[in-house]
Amino acid sequence: MKSKLLLIVLMLFTSFAFSQNFDVNGTVLEASTGLSLPGVNVKVKNSSQGTSTDFDGSFKLLGIPKGTTLVFSFIGFKTQEVVVSGTKITVRLGDDAKSLDEVVVIGYGTQKKREVTGAVSTLDSKTLDILKPARIEQALQGTMSGVNVTTQSGAPGAPLDIRIRGIATNGENRPTTIIDGYVGDLNLINPSDIETLTVLKDAQAAIYGTIGANGIILVTTKTGKKNSKTKFSFNTYTGFQETSRTLPTLNATEYALLLNESYANGGKALPYPNVSGLGKGTNWQDEVFGTGVPIINYDLSVSGGSDKVTYAISGSHLDQEGIVGGDKSGFLRNTARISLGADLTDKLKLKTNVIYTYFTRNTLNENGLGSVLFNALNVPSTLSPYDQNGNFTLVPSTTGLGTEIINPLAQIANTYNDYNYKKINGNFGLDYKLFKGFVLSSAIGFNTSNSESKTFAQQISYGGKVFDVQRSSVTQGAVNDNNYSFDLFGTYTAKIAENHNIVGTLGTTIFKEWGNGLFATGYDVPNNSWQFADISLTKGISEALSNSAYVYDQRRLSYFGRLQYDYKGKYLLSAMIRRDSSTKFGPGNKVGYFPSFTGGWVVSDEGFFGESKTINFLKLRASYGTLGNDQIPNYGYLGLLTGEATYVFDGTLVNGTATGQVPNPDLKWEEAKKFDVGLDLRLFNDKVSIVTDYFIDTRSDLLIQNIPVSGINGTGAPGASSPTLNAGSVRNSGVEFAIDYKERFSDNFTMSVGYNVTFLKNEVLEVNNGTGFIESGAFGVGQPAPARMEIGKPMGYFYGYKTDGIFQNQTEVDAHPSQIALGANAAPGDIRYVDNNGDGVLDAKDRTNIGDPIPNATMGFNMQLNYKNLDFAVYTFASVGNDMVRNYERTLSDANRLNYVLDRWTGEGSTNTTPRVTTGATANNVFSDYFVEDASYFRIQNIQLGYSLNSQVAQKAGMTKVRFYTGVNNLYTFTKYKGFDPGASNGNPIGGGIDYGFYPVPRTYLLGLNINF
């Protein structure tokens, strides 16, 4: 009996040992990089019990028996099974490149990456975390092939221009941004709120019809994960900024000596008989550029979810002062966002995302004649910033210094303006599973914004300059902009006979945009002070029109359809069409149709391909389609009273209105025909990824504004303008190539390297305005426009005189055609111009193509290294073949100069590149290739070094992740260009490459902290 009882006890203990349950805590990491993976599905095999990893890749399962098998699965990674042997588990998931099940957003739906047949590039939140851009557009530069970003200014909050596969039109070239399904503004989003950025570059964007010609940027914001506890993430960085470049101007002694030589060569008395004691004088750039200029950013997010509900809430604060003028060119941005998802029933799902943005911005006069930096470069270094009384020094109004060069410090001090902007935007959507395979989706997207502006012109004298203000005034404005969209579409997914897969999408979109603006000016501000600068306090009366207003309302009705088919996942076809009807065009041209076709062949899935150890995945794809562009001002087909006019009634002058833009009732869509062939390739156990494309984008019926017409229409009157016409055609063609390499050398060391390059050729095919060309831009004062759009040439090419060195003696002058038609007879030491047409006369007919602002190639090289708890990243960008016009130097005799003039011509044989200096008349300043420079450059955009605390140490402090990092943005630019920024542009397709003194992009040193808890 005792033996039986002992046996029973032993069996019970044995049973208890084998049935021991415990809580399992684990972490899931990406095998290639060692980074945590949120959202991984963790399930107990052959059971309904499971969970998913949280923001830090962590998970917890309760009461798991020892020996249980856990299954880890995540889109884009190989599914892995792990047997529970303890309370802690670390799992590393490897890329499943063969399945390529990673989901890509393609517009009104998603598609597995392996099935994508269009030219698509993506950028994820991991890259954004490294780059830390103040504005999200900055992260696109160098990280995506075919995408080029240029700065209009380095000032905080200044706009950036995105160009996808080149400049295709003289009108609006910006791509359309779609945020979670609705049209939005990319520049207003907090970068930390973005999960992925997807760029549609080819005919696949035709699903968006008339807004897709310039490309589509699809933004997916972060959402909560199901079955995850509430997680907090706090990120901050602080740093200081400085100018990334200063230009080598002449110091006081060099300036005085050069000016003496110039006056002597002109037969005038020396302005500085005694140069001793002048020293280096004032470096005006040092005076206007700040050092240690602060920038600070905070953002906090909260996310989580249950079986039915997910949520993500975030807020951010960015405060950045300018490297010129400090808070006089500052930018402050606050954002708040909430994202909710709910499974209302098994068939009905709700999703919503709302973003609030508030920012303020102050600006200085920049990028033009008389700008702050223009003055800093041209004011003589012999002048001091302040006079003996402590007042700002007045720049003399002599002939040699003109009337537009003033003390830049006084200009900054006397600049008063303020701009604030408030916007709320978002969407509300429902997905209803009507029956198996069919989902009906609806969404309302909205944008509503209000902005207020104020500019104060203080009564002041700069000593007889054009900037003198005789009467103080304040100008205030209020703008209200709104739009909403309603999308309703159904998606049907079916599998036929196991091998045939079909996805059909059919829907409609209603879009309405409306708003108004009101502007007014009041005179005689009390106390001549910014403190009292408000129209309500002004009592002055002006004889000129001092207020204006506008109102607009436009609508678009669209229908679209798309059919996607694949056979065994090997043969891929897609066809789509969109019909748009818009109020921007007249009755006969309201409707446009935009069809496209894409196809792909996964060669590596063919039986004859076999199991190659070298090539793991190979897909060929092609696309062709038509897209539209309607980004022009409203009512171009109507004649409206929007101009200013003065009438005489009963002998009295009365202010009134007149016709504005000359109407064009025949306006129609700008049309883009896009062709693309591409290849996607994975090699060497998926360590190497290659994507390459050849594309042709032909744009016709260009919507070109302000085409000159007959002068009898009065288009020179205030508020009036020439009409918008469909008057041109442009073709962009090129090749994109991107290669990425990932290697895991050990559990402690991983590396990722990427390189992309885009080769581009731009050619104008047609200009139908009566002259065959359109010119724009400015050079110097009173000279013809230096940039053109003309048949057979690149968009915005530079049109001027070619040079052939310097005349060394009078014999060479006599043997050359006279240059008097260019402004003056030549003399030894002057620039020799080329008689381009060979008619023996040098005149305007000899002008020709002397430069191209469009780069031949752009490229990016990026590298990331991870060693134990250390991480390092570097991102670079290069532009090759782009030219830029040097137009920031005033040609007045007494203006300061860059030090390259020290190598001027001083006698026969001294130089053949830089002309003599003289106060006498010359033709040396006419627009020629002497002022056109190669602006190719290589820029180290970002370097970052980070350290993450050991997870066990962090958890003791109640945190799941603690990471410190330091980095530098815009570290250095290698270039031969003399100006501030070889990568800048003023945004104009014709004349964008003319440098009036671009505000340089700052170099920023950062210290940051990431905490998850």
Side-chain angles (χ1 to χ4, degrees):
M1 184 65 183
K2 289 182 179 180
S3 62
K4 291 183 178 180
L5 183 61
L6 180 61
L7 179 62
I8 293 172
V9 171
L10 288 173
M11 290 179 65
L12 287 173
F13 272 103
T14 304
S15 176
F16 175 78
F18 278 99
S19 62
Q20 180 182 3
N21 294 352
F22 44 77
D23 297 342
V24 176
N25 291 280
T27 303
V28 182
L29 306 175
E30 185 178 349
S32 60
T33 64
L35 297 175
S36 59
L37 281 174
V40 176
N41 293 316
V42 185
K43 292 193 67 176
V44 176
K45 192 173 183 179
N46 301 322
S47 169
S48 61
Q49 184 178 3
T51 184
S52 61
T53 58
D54 60 22
F55 189 81
D56 304 297
S58 301
F59 70 92
K60 186 174 184 178
L61 289 171
L62 304 178
I64 302 300
K66 185 177 181 179
T68 300
T69 299
L70 301 182
V71 180
F72 297 83
S73 61
F74 192 55
I75 293 175
F77 293 84
K78 295 176 183 177
T79 299
Q80 189 170 335
E81 295 185 358
V82 176
V83 177
V84 174
S85 59
T87 58
K88 290 190 176 298
I89 296 177
T90 299
V91 179
R92 298 180 184 273
L93 294 185
D95 292 344
D96 188 5
K98 213 164 196 177
S99 68
L100 289 168
D101 285 333
E102 181 181 345
V103 173
V104 176
V105 180
I106 58 171
Y108 300 104
T110 59
Q111 198 171 24
K112 293 180 181 179
K113 193 171 184 179
R114 65 168 291 127
E115 299 170 353
V116 172
T117 50
V120 175
S121 293
T122 59
L123 188 69
D124 60 20
S125 58
K126 296 177 185 177
T127 304
L128 296 177
D129 286 341
I130 295 171
L131 292 173
K132 297 298 178 191
R135 292 167 59 110
I136 193 62
E137 301 99 313
Q138 296 166 329
L140 300 177
Q141 184 75 294
T143 57
M144 292 182 175
S145 60
V147 180
N148 192 19
V149 180
T150 57
T151 58
Q152 293 188 24
S153 166
L160 292 92
D161 295 314
I162 302 174
R163 302 289 182 258
I164 297 177
R165 292 184 169 179
I167 297 175
T169 174
N170 185 33
E172 182 56 70
N173 281 272
R174 288 177 298 179
T176 301
T177 299
I178 308 293
I179 304 172
D180 294 326
Y182 65 94
V183 176
D185 291 330
L186 186 64
N187 61 337
L188 297 180
I189 307 176
N190 173 23
S192 295
D193 285 337
I194 294 178
E195 184 68 39
T196 60
L197 281 169
T198 303
V199 178
L200 308 182
K201 297 181 282 189
D202 67 344
Q204 188 150 315
I207 194 70
Y208 289 103
T210 185
I211 60 175
N214 296 329
I216 297 291
I217 299 178
L218 301 173
V219 178
T220 302
T221 58
K222 293 178 179 177
T223 61
K225 307 296 182 183
K226 284 190 174 182
N227 299 312
S228 61
K229 62 182 181 180
T230 301
K231 300 296 295 182
F232 295 84
S233 176
F234 175 72
N235 303 291
T236 182
Y237 64 80
T238 184
F240 61 90
Q241 309 163 89
E242 63 185 20
T243 181
S244 53
R245 198 170 196 194
T246 58
L247 307 189
T249 53
L250 301 179
N251 63 37
T253 302
E254 292 169 335
Y255 169 81
L257 288 171
L258 190 78
L259 204 62
N260 282 344
E261 182 180 326
S262 176
Y263 271 64
N265 288 341
K268 296 182 179 180
L270 302 185
Y272 293 94
N274 183 9
V275 299
S276 63
L278 289 177
K280 292 188 176 181
T282 302
N283 187 321
W284 288 96
Q285 291 175 86
D286 290 346
E287 296 293 330
V288 300
F289 281 126
T291 57
V293 179
I295 179 174
I296 190 167
N297 181 83
Y298 301 99
D299 65 73
L300 175 67
S301 63
V302 182
S303 64
S306 63
D307 289 338
K308 300 293 185 180
V309 177
T310 62
Y311 58 89
I313 304 170
S314 66
S316 72
H317 170 79
L318 171 69
D319 193 354
Q320 181 182 13
E321 290 189 7
I323 57 174
V324 179
D327 59 359
K328 286 291 183 84
S329 64
F331 178 71
L332 183 148
R333 183 190 66 206
N334 294 319
T335 68
R337 185 180 72 95
I338 182 168
S339 171
L340 295 173
D343 295 347
L344 303 180
T345 68
D346 290 340
K347 291 187 175 183
L348 183 63
K349 296 182 179 181
L350 168 71
K351 53 187 177 182
T352 180
N353 183 50
V354 178
I355 303 173
Y356 173 78
T357 303
Y358 169 82
F359 75 79
T360 63
R361 186 178 181 223
N362 304 100
T363 57
L364 296 170
N365 187 336
E366 58 179 270
N367 193 24
L369 189 69
S371 68
V372 171
L373 289 178
F374 175 91
N375 286 315
L377 294 174
N378 287 278
V379 173
S381 51
T382 53
L383 294 178
S384 300
Y386 306 94
D387 62 22
Q388 294 178 348
N389 298 320
N391 299 318
F392 292 112
T393 299
L394 296 178
V395 178
S397 296
T398 62
T399 303
L401 284 173
T403 60
E404 75 277 359
I405 298 177
I406 62 174
N407 185 328
L409 295 180
Q411 186 177 17
I412 293 172
N414 296 319
T415 297
Y416 300 94
N417 61 68
D418 188 28
Y419 178 83
N420 68 78
Y421 181 94
K422 298 176 286 291
K423 181 173 187 175
I424 185 168
N425 59 295
N427 68 339
F428 298 91
L430 290 171
D431 292 337
Y432 183 69
K433 188 176 182 179
L434 199 61
F435 53 83
K436 182 179 179 181
F438 185 80
V439 177
L440 186 64
S441 301
S442 64
I444 295 177
F446 63 93
N447 293 267
T448 181
S449 64
N450 296 277
S451 64
E452 296 177 346
S453 60
K454 180 189 290 187
T455 301
F456 169 53
Q458 186 179 40
Q459 182 181 358
I460 193 171
S461 173
Y462 293 98
K465 303 286 186 174
V466 294
F467 295 101
D468 290 356
V469 178
Q470 307 299 328
R471 189 180 184 189
S472 65
S473 65
V474 58
T475 299
Q476 294 176 244
V479 174
N480 174 258
D481 295 312
N482 308 273
N483 69 54
Y484 77 83
S485 60
F486 175 71
D487 297 317
L488 179 65
F489 61 95
T491 303
Y492 178 68
T493 305
K495 182 182 286 291
I496 303 174
E498 295 300 320
N499 294 323
H500 303 273
N501 301 292
I502 295 175
V503 178
T505 303
L506 188 67
T508 181
T509 294
I510 300 171
F511 180 82
K512 179 178 179 179
E513 190 169 31
W514 73 100
N516 58 74
L518 177 63
F519 306 89
T521 299
Y523 291 88
D524 302 333
V525 175
N527 301 320
N528 194 31
S529 169
W530 169 248
Q531 183 179 358
F532 297 94
D534 192 275
I535 290 179
S536 64
L537 301 177
T538 60
K539 305 302 179 183
I541 298 175
S542 172
E543 294 181 359
L545 186 65
S546 61
N547 56 63
S548 62
Y550 67 84
V551 62
Y552 68 95
D553 184 345
Q554 67 181 61
R555 283 146 287 165
R556 185 169 61 241
L557 175 63
S558 308
Y559 301 97
F560 57 88
R562 178 173 60 207
L563 181 64
Q564 298 163 262
Y565 165 80
D566 76 80
Y567 175 72
K568 291 185 176 181
K570 293 189 298 184
Y571 311 116
L572 314 166
L573 293 173
S574 176
M576 62 196 80
I577 188 169
R578 178 160 174 144
R579 177 191 185 273
D580 281 329
S581 178
S582 171
T583 58
K584 281 194 174 183
F585 303 97
N589 297 306
K590 286 185 178 296
V591 177
Y593 293 89
F594 306 99
S596 74
F597 304 90
T598 68
W601 176 26
V602 183
V603 183
S604 54
D605 279 2
E606 294 288 359
F608 65 78
F609 197 84
E611 291 291 332
S612 172
K613 294 183 179 179
T614 302
I615 301 177
N616 310 118
F617 178 78
L618 172 61
K619 178 175 66 178
L620 303 176
R621 49 185 169 74
S623 65
Y624 180 79
T626 302
L627 297 90
N629 183 22
D630 70 345
Q631 298 186 53
I632 57 172
N634 298 304
Y635 314 124
Y637 65 97
L638 295 174
L640 300 174
L641 294 173
T642 57
E644 300 177 22
T646 302
Y647 301 91
V648 178
F649 290 100
D650 297 327
T652 303
L653 288 175
V654 179
N655 292 322
T657 58
T659 53
Q661 176 178 304
V662 175
N664 175 16
D666 297 324
L667 270 182
K668 60 181 179 180
W669 310 103
E670 187 174 291
E671 190 174 78
K673 289 183 169 59
K674 293 179 181 280
F675 168 76
D676 183 281
V677 290
L679 176 147
D680 300 336
L681 188 63
R682 297 276 182 125
L683 306 170
F684 309 117
N685 294 322
D686 304 319
K687 293 179 181 179
V688 177
S689 173
I690 295 175
V691 178
T692 186
D693 288 85
Y694 171 74
F695 61 88
I696 301 175
D697 180 354
T698 304
R699 193 76 60 95
S700 59
D701 293 325
L702 297 190
L703 289 166
I704 302 177
Q705 300 179 42
N706 297 319
I707 296 292
V709 293
S710 172
I712 62 174
N713 288 319
T715 55
S721 63
S722 298
T724 298
L725 302 179
N726 296 100
S729 179
V730 175
R731 180 175 59 218
N732 283 295
S733 59
V735 174
E736 296 175 2
F737 176 81
I739 182 169
D740 293 278
Y741 171 68
K742 293 182 179 181
E743 181 65 84
R744 183 175 189 83
F745 298 99
S746 69
D747 289 341
N748 294 325
F749 182 46
T750 61
M751 180 180 71
S752 176
V753 178
Y755 172 77
N756 65 79
V757 61
T758 303
F759 298 97
L760 181 70
K761 181 182 179 182
N762 175 280
E763 183 181 3
V764 175
L765 304 179
E766 195 175 23
V767 180
N768 299 322
N769 68 335
T771 63
F773 65 86
I774 298 171
E775 56 185 12
S776 186
F779 178 81
V781 177
Q783 295 202 40
R788 284 191 171 191
M789 173 185 176
E790 187 175 358
I791 298 173
K793 303 292 194 307
M795 176 77 77
Y797 82 98
F798 303 129
Y799 186 70
Y801 297 95
K802 284 188 175 181
T803 62
D804 185 24
I806 305 296
F807 288 113
Q808 298 297 320
N809 51 55
Q810 190 60 42
T811 302
E812 291 184 0
V813 174
D814 295 338
H816 195 71
S818 172
Q819 298 184 171
I820 193 170
L822 305 186
N825 281 317
D830 287 340
I831 294 176
R832 176 168 46 207
Y833 298 101
V834 176
D835 180 13
N836 193 58
N837 62 6
D839 63 357
V841 177
L842 268 166
D843 54 23
K845 298 177 182 178
D846 292 301
R847 289 183 295 166
T848 186
N849 182 1
I850 58 172
D852 176 8
I854 300 175
N856 299 322
T858 56
M859 61 194 76
F861 174 79
N862 316 308
M863 180 174 66
Q864 298 178 44
L865 303 173
N866 293 271
Y867 179 72
K868 293 186 176 179
N869 293 342
L870 287 171
D871 59 86
F872 174 78
V874 58
Y875 283 76
T876 68
F877 177 78
S879 178
V880 179
N882 54 299
D883 298 316
M884 188 170 286
V885 175
R886 186 178 73 251
N887 191 35
Y888 46 78
E889 299 171 291
R890 191 68 171 96
T891 56
L892 293 168
S893 63
D894 289 16
N896 203 358
R897 297 280 187 269
L898 268 62
N899 67 0
Y900 72 85
V901 300
L902 296 177
D903 295 325
R904 70 209 173 279
W905 187 90
T906 56
E908 188 169 351
S910 57
T911 183
N912 199 38
T913 57
T914 307
R916 66 188 175 121
V917 292
T918 179
T919 58
T922 73
N924 293 334
N925 294 319
V926 300
F927 182 57
S928 69
D929 58 16
Y930 175 69
F931 298 98
V932 179
E933 298 181 27
D934 180 5
S936 301
Y937 67 96
F938 173 78
R939 176 171 291 162
I940 303 175
Q941 298 204 124
N942 177 277
I943 287 183
Q944 188 178 120
L945 177 65
Y947 176 78
S948 299
L949 286 183
N950 184 284
S951 58
Q952 294 180 352
V953 176
Q955 287 173 5
K956 289 181 180 179
M959 294 172 284
T960 56
K961 177 183 177 182
V962 178
R963 177 176 177 266
F964 304 92
Y965 67 89
T966 182
V968 185
N969 290 343
N970 192 36
L971 177 61
Y972 194 80
T973 300
F974 299 89
T975 183
K976 293 182 179 179
Y977 180 63
K978 296 184 181 72
F980 283 114
D981 186 358
S985 171
N986 62 27
N988 189 347
I990 306 177
I994 301 173
D995 187 351
Y996 305 94
F998 286 117
Y999 191 128
V1001 177
R1003 178 183 298 119
T1004 307
Y1005 301 89
L1006 298 175
L1007 285 173
L1009 173 66
N1010 309 132
I1011 301 176
N1012 295 338
F1013 54 95

